[in-house]
């Protein structure tokens, strides 16, 4: 998608800030807004879409998943190690430089978050009559 923006194949797109910010800083792309409700710490000069469309929020997120039958002790160990790496100065600093906010929630909190996001976007699809073909 970023390549399509850079070449003019598409006039506009939603993309992750971390993907397009370097191109914006080089003057190759213009970021119109961020889709978080608060300005991005790495680029506070970029307005939020919510400042024009009240209530608008669309976040990208990443997480670690494992098979459902993974033993709890293994899940706990993976979580511990992942959070330690995520919050290490090198990783956390690099993510923040890219405009990514490291979270590292618990497996239970992440499970609830994924369920809420799934329900939220399913409702958007239902209201817009979006169907998989």
């Amino acid at each position: 998608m970023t390549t399509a923006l850079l070449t003019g194949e598409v006039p506009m797109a939603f993309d992750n800030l971390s993907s397009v910010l370097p191109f914006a800083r080089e003057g190759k792309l213009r970021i119109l807004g961020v889709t978080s409700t608060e300005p991005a710490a790495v680029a506070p000069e970029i307005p939020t879409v919510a400042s024009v469309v009240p209530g608008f929020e669309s976040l990208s997120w990443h997480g670690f998943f494992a098979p459902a039958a993974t033993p709890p002790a293994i899940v706990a160990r993976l979580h511990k190690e992942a959070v330690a790496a995520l919050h290490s100065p090198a990783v956390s600093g690099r993510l923040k430089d890219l405009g990514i906010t490291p979270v590292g929630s618990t497996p239970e909190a992440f499970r609830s978050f994924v369920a809420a996001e799934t329900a939220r976007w399913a409702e958007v699809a239902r209201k817009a009559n979006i169907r998989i073909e």
Side-chain angles (χ1 to χ4, degrees):
M1 181 171 38
T2 304
T3 301
L5 281 169
L6 289 166
T7 62
E9 182 180 345
V10 296
M12 185 183 128
F14 283 84
D15 202 350
N16 294 314
L17 185 60
S18 59
S19 298
V20 296
L21 190 57
F23 297 107
R25 289 185 170 153
E26 293 172 10
K28 295 178 180 178
L29 290 177
R30 180 174 172 209
I31 300 174
L32 302 176
V34 294
T35 58
S36 54
T37 56
E38 299 293 324
V42 70
E45 70 282 2
I46 302 170
T48 64
V49 173
S51 66
V52 178
V53 181
F56 186 93
E57 180 182 35
S58 177
L59 302 175
S60 64
W61 50 269
H62 304 275
F64 292 101
F65 294 84
T70 304
I74 301 291
V75 171
R77 176 72 189 270
L78 289 170
H79 173 257
K80 177 184 172 189
E81 298 299 333
V83 169
L86 187 63
H87 291 296
S88 71
V91 173
S92 179
R94 179 65 178 136
L95 291 173
K96 289 176 183 176
D97 288 346
L98 293 169
I100 299 170
T101 304
V103 176
S105 64
T106 66
E108 297 77 20
F110 184 58
R111 189 176 301 111
S112 294
F113 173 79
V114 171
E117 283 287 280
T118 301
R120 175 183 181 203
W121 293 107
E123 180 64 11
V124 168
R126 186 191 65 74
K127 284 183 176 178
N129 199 29
I130 298 170
R131 305 259 185 246
I132 296 175
E133 296 180 12

